[in-house]
């Protein structure tokens, strides 16, 4: 498997202008799976996932011990694209003590009374830890761009192209600041098709145990599908940077999504110069003395 090639397929090169319609939401796009049938593909993806989750457990321990970097993972997607289940799977390889998940909903009145990045700043992972954002400050250039009436409490001004460009600029600067302070940022857009969303909505309606996941308001957002795709495209094009790249992950088959996301996370951690803290001569001496004290008890 040529991992780099496979990651390059989903990673959006900074400066490159992507079109979402060029990205396959299914499983065939990833070269690795192209020559396999669906069952083989699923098996292969699960094997990658298991290996990665095992590696992730170790890498996280090292991240924690090293205590210089933190990892921020951002998930954005349309409803029913599989954010929750991807987070659940990725988390299964992580020690809960070293990880926090934050889900961002409609901002509260207090949050609306601050700059749009404020509520996210407060939830960033500390050094040595992994933070997962289930939705993020990107909602402020996605749902808010599709529904500009959500812009509240700001001084008057035009809400045209330059308004959004300023927000992208702010986001890039914010992420740059974080990266310069030791944060690794990985952003995932789970790319689901409109057809698969319908199938998953139907399941939510038909299966009583899934009813709670459906909200009638989700249909109104589905109605604005094309506007959302435009907003995603613009946001991804403006904010995929060297220091905080976007990944467009096929999301019509969950096993593909899980495998790719886990793979990218472990590869990024592996690329860091993580090491266990060095024990000095003096510390070694103290350890030897402690051992002796215990032995002599
Ligand atoms: P869910 O993730 O399904 O629980 O839904 C959370 C909802 O909160 C989604 O419909 C988001 O679009 C919405 N949301 C998140 N951030 C914002 C924001 N800044 N302004 C308005 N709505 C938001
Ligand atoms: Mg929802």
């Amino acid at each position: 498997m040529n991992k780099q090639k496979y990651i390059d397929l989903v990673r959006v090169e900074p400066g490159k202008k992507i079109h979402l319609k060029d990205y396959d939401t299914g499983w065939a796009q990833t070269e690795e799976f192209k020559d396999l049938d669906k069952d083989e593909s699923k098996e292969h993806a699960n094997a990658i996932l298991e290996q990665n989750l095992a590696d992730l457990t170790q890498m996280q321990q090292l991240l924690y011990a090293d205590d210089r970097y933190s990892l921020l993972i951002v998930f954005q997607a349309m409803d029913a694209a599989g954010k929750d289940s991807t987070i659940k799977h990725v988390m299964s390889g992580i020690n809960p003590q070293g990880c926090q998940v934050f889900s961002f909903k409609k901002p509260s009145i207090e949050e609306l009374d601050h700059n749009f990045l404020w509520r996210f700043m407060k939830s960033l992972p500390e050094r040595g830890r992994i933070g997962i954002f289930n939705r993020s400050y990107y909602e402020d250039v996605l749902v808010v761009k599709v529904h500009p009436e959500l812009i509240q409490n700001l001084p008057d001004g035009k809400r045209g192209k330059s308004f959004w460009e300023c927000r992208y600029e702010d986001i890039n600067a914010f992420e740059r600041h974080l990266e310069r302070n030791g944060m690794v940022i990985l952003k995932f857009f789970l790319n689901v098709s409109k057809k698969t969303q319908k199938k998953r909505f139907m399941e939510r309606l038909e299966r009583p145990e899934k009813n709670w996941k459906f909200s009638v308001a989700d249909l109104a957002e589905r109605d604005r599908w094309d506007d959302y795709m435009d907003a995603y495209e613009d946001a991804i094009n403006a904010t995929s940077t060297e220091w905080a790249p976007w990944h467009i992950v096929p999301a019509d088959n969950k096993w593909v999504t899980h495998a790719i996301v886990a793979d990218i996370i472990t590869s990024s951690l592996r690329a860091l110069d993580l090491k266990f803290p060095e024990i000095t001569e003096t510390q070694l001496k103290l350890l030897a003395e402690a051992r002796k004290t215990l032995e002599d008890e």
Side-chain angles (χ1 to χ4, degrees):
M1 170 179 61
N2 182 343
K3 191 172 276 188
Q4 197 50 48
K5 190 166 151 210
Y6 159 77
I7 291 176
D8 286 348
L9 269 176
V10 297
R11 181 166 292 182
V12 178
E13 218 179 287
K16 189 179 157 194
K17 294 285 163 257
I18 60 100
H19 294 286
L20 281 175
K21 60 175 177 351
D22 297 338
Y23 285 77
D24 191 347
T25 54
W27 53 280
Q29 185 199 24
T30 42
E31 290 276 305
E32 268 208 80
F33 300 122
K34 236 172 202 159
D35 302 326
L36 304 175
D37 70 26
K38 223 170 180 174
D39 281 342
E40 282 177 320
S41 206
K42 189 172 181 174
E43 222 168 89
H44 188 50
N46 279 333
I48 299 178
L49 179 62
E50 254 169 57
Q51 182 55 51
N52 274 310
L53 292 183
D55 289 357
L56 187 54
T57 309
Q58 289 198 326
M59 301 300 305
Q60 187 202 8
Q61 215 186 357
L62 193 52
L63 181 79
Y64 191 82
D66 181 276
D67 205 24
R68 289 177 299 155
Y69 297 96
S70 58
L71 174 63
L72 175 66
I73 305 170
V74 172
F75 287 104
Q76 282 293 156
M78 297 298 281
D79 280 312
K83 288 194 291 355
D84 293 347
S85 83
T86 305
I87 292 170
K88 189 169 127 196
H89 269 78
V90 171
M91 287 287 289
S92 68
I94 296 181
N95 177 349
Q97 285 210 72
C99 180
Q100 264 179 305
V101 183
F102 291 95
S103 296
F104 294 99
K105 316 265 177 197
K106 277 197 180 76
S108 67
I109 293 177
E110 188 197 14
E111 287 164 346
L112 280 174
D113 262 344
H114 290 82
N115 58 312
F116 79 94
L117 291 171
W118 181 72
R119 62 174 174 153
F120 304 97
M121 191 68 129
K122 293 194 302 180
S123 306
L124 293 170
E126 55 201 272
R127 267 178 238 293
R129 289 174 194 258
I130 299 178
I132 298 180
F133 280 4
N134 182 352
R135 301 188 190 273
S136 66
Y137 39 90
Y138 282 96
E139 289 294 332
D140 290 277
V141 291
L142 296 166
V143 65
V144 182
K145 193 176 182 194
V146 174
H147 301 281
E149 66 277 12
L150 291 171
I151 304 170
Q152 285 170 37
N153 306 5
L154 276 186
D156 292 344
K158 287 196 183 126
R159 307 296 184 225
K161 204 165 175 249
S162 73
F163 177 83
W164 302 108
E165 274 164 7
C166 289
R167 284 208 164 180
Y168 302 141
E169 202 181 294
D170 288 345
I171 289 175
N172 285 340
F174 174 61
E175 291 176 339
R176 187 77 216 248
H177 165 70
L178 300 177
E179 187 261 351
R180 284 177 170 148
N181 282 272
M183 195 174 291
V184 177
I185 305 171
L186 296 173
K187 302 180 295 200
F188 296 98
F189 169 57
L190 306 190
N191 189 23
V192 76
S193 65
K194 201 173 176 189
K195 192 170 152 216
T196 301
Q197 190 197 51
K198 179 174 177 179
K199 196 181 100 202
R200 292 186 186 158
F201 275 174
M202 289 302 264
E203 273 169 24
R204 290 178 179 185
L205 290 167
E206 281 159 11
R207 295 177 41 190
E209 77 279 12
K210 289 202 170 187
N211 282 174
W212 67 275
K213 277 208 138 189
F214 188 83
S215 148
V216 181
D218 293 347
L219 284 188
E221 300 315 302
R222 177 178 167 81
D223 236 20
R224 304 291 303 271
W225 186 275
D226 291 344
D227 296 326
Y228 271 104
M229 289 304 111
D230 287 347
Y232 268 106
E233 210 168 270
D234 290 347
I236 291 171
N237 282 329
T239 62
S240 198
T241 53
E242 298 289 348
W243 57 90
W246 272 107
H247 303 83
I248 301 175
V249 183
D252 283 351
N253 296 287
K254 289 191 176 180
W255 67 88
V256 175
T257 315
H258 299 167
I260 292 177
V261 169
D263 208 8
I264 291 170
I265 296 172
T266 34
S267 303
S268 306
L269 286 177
R270 222 177 272 125
L272 296 174
D273 57 332
L274 297 175
K275 45 187 184 279
F276 287 107
E278 264 177 46
I279 309 281
T280 62
E281 285 295 318
T282 325
Q283 282 170 317
L284 277 177
K285 239 189 214 160
L286 287 172
L287 292 181
E289 277 170 27
R291 214 170 99 189
K292 183 143 192 337
T293 312
L294 282 174
E295 279 168 358
D296 293 348
E297 251 180 19

